Amino acid sequence: MVGLKPSDVPPTTAVKFLGAGTAACFADLLTFPLDTAKVRLQIQGENQVTQAARRTQYRGVLGTILTMVRTEGPRSPYNGLVAGLQRQMSFASIRIGLYDSVKQFYTPKGSDHSSITTRILAGCTTGAMAVSCAQPTDVVKVRFQASIHLGAGSSRKYSGTMDAYRTIAREEGVRGLWKDNLPCHFISAFGAGFCATVVASPVDVVKTRYMNSPPGQYHSPLDCMLKMVAHEGPTAFYKGFTPSFLRLGAWNVAMFVTYEQLKRALMNVQMLRESPF
């Protein structure tokens, strides 16, 4: 490896795993307020909401963030950030960091190139693994983002991220941390930009409503979808569309640019450690 540049050396699985998770966390730090605004807009208009939520109305991306800052404090757009970072560290590390390794596992021996079938199979495998591991963190993140805290007089349901995991598991069972949203993640994962937002937005809204719902409010994601249509009309599926679109674009740019730079930096460190000089 002496004399080679970091970009000339294929990154190891450990480098890709750590780099993808770290880059995803950096992207989440930059775009988290947009994600929180999206969640607030998506649950607005829901029948079973708190009295505080009924008093608070959100309009547009900037209006939602400003209303949150004015009524709940400057830290409110980052509610659920710890769970969000935990989700990115587990989800992105597996989905992106392990993709090449899983693809090689499915590629027949002696083959120089992976077929489209192999790539799809690898993507589905890492996607399923990532969802299985990261699902509880996503549920907790949405719960924090959706909760409204108006000053010292109001109480928080969860005292912290770990308390949220324990409380949900105790009150809703362990399955409460794995509310079924596998199709939501797959649909969201196979798109980019405006087209991805158009396709994924209805599923994402249902996911947010279902994750944030108390036990018994919805029997299933399908029941949630039908009740949304009945009470709010089909336009409810596109609540939070603008922040979702802005976040998707900004997140992908920040994540993949950071990921490439981190891979080079980590490979540089590895080469220096292995160099005899």
Side-chain angles (χ1 to χ4, degrees):
M1 296 177 67
V2 179
L4 294 175
K5 297 179 180 179
S7 57
D8 297 330
V9 181
T12 63
T13 300
V15 166
K16 288 184 283 189
F17 188 87
L18 180 60
T22 305
C25 288
F26 177 75
D28 229 35
L29 283 170
L30 296 179
T31 62
F32 203 82
L34 292 172
D35 192 33
T36 304
K38 178 204 71 172
V39 169
R40 292 293 179 94
L41 287 167
Q42 286 177 338
I43 64 172
Q44 187 167 248
E46 194 173 22
N47 283 343
Q48 296 187 21
V49 294
T50 63
Q51 187 175 359
R54 292 193 186 97
R55 294 198 305 264
T56 308
Q57 293 296 316
Y58 305 112
R59 296 183 182 276
V61 185
L62 183 60
T64 299
I65 295 175
L66 291 177
T67 299
M68 290 181 62
V69 171
R70 185 178 67 252
T71 58
E72 303 173 55
R75 297 173 59 183
S76 58
Y78 282 91
N79 285 345
L81 177 62
V82 174
L85 295 179
Q86 290 172 345
R87 178 184 184 276
Q88 295 303 340
M89 204 64 206
S90 55
F91 187 83
S93 295
I94 295 173
R95 184 171 64 89
I96 299 173
L98 295 184
Y99 172 77
D100 288 334
S101 298
V102 174
K103 184 177 67 175
Q104 290 175 4
F105 174 79
Y106 285 128
T107 302
K109 292 183 178 180
S111 178
D112 295 331
H113 302 285
S114 301
S115 65
I116 185 65
T117 303
T118 299
R119 295 176 185 179
I120 292 175
L121 187 59
C124 290
T125 300
T126 54
M129 291 168 58
V131 168
S132 299
C133 293
Q135 185 67 13
T137 63
D138 202 15
V139 173
V140 171
K141 176 181 77 75
V142 169
R143 295 287 179 92
F144 272 103
Q145 289 176 316
S147 64
I148 297 178
H149 183 70
L150 301 177
S154 59
S155 59
R156 292 182 182 271
K157 185 172 183 179
Y158 310 117
S159 60
T161 305
M162 298 309 297
D163 178 61
Y165 290 121
R166 289 192 295 267
T167 302
I168 293 173
R170 184 176 65 251
E171 295 181 355
E172 304 175 39
V174 176
R175 292 182 60 185
L177 290 168
W178 270 274
K179 285 196 170 183
D180 179 24
N181 75 327
L182 190 61
C184 310
H185 283 288
F186 279 142
I187 291 176
S188 298
F190 284 103
F194 182 79
C195 291
T197 310
V198 171
V199 173
S201 185
V203 187
D204 193 34
V205 174
V206 173
K207 181 201 79 169
T208 298
R209 294 279 184 98
Y210 191 64
M211 280 185 171
N212 189 53
S213 64
Q217 182 174 350
Y218 302 118
H219 301 301
S220 66
L222 178 61
D223 179 54
C224 177
M225 180 188 72
L226 294 175
K227 287 181 177 178
M228 282 178 58
V229 174
H231 296 135
E232 302 172 58
T235 57
F237 289 122
Y238 287 93
K239 288 187 173 184
F241 179 87
T242 302
S244 182
F245 171 56
L246 293 174
R247 179 184 179 273
L248 180 63
W251 192 94
N252 277 292
V253 170
M255 191 276 173
F256 284 105
V257 169
T258 307
Y259 180 41
E260 291 302 320
Q261 298 304 314
L262 278 173
K263 281 197 299 184
R264 293 179 184 179
L266 290 170
M267 288 304 298
N268 194 18
V269 171
Q270 183 175 328
M271 289 173 65
L272 290 174
R273 291 179 61 184
E274 295 178 0
S275 175
F277 303 103

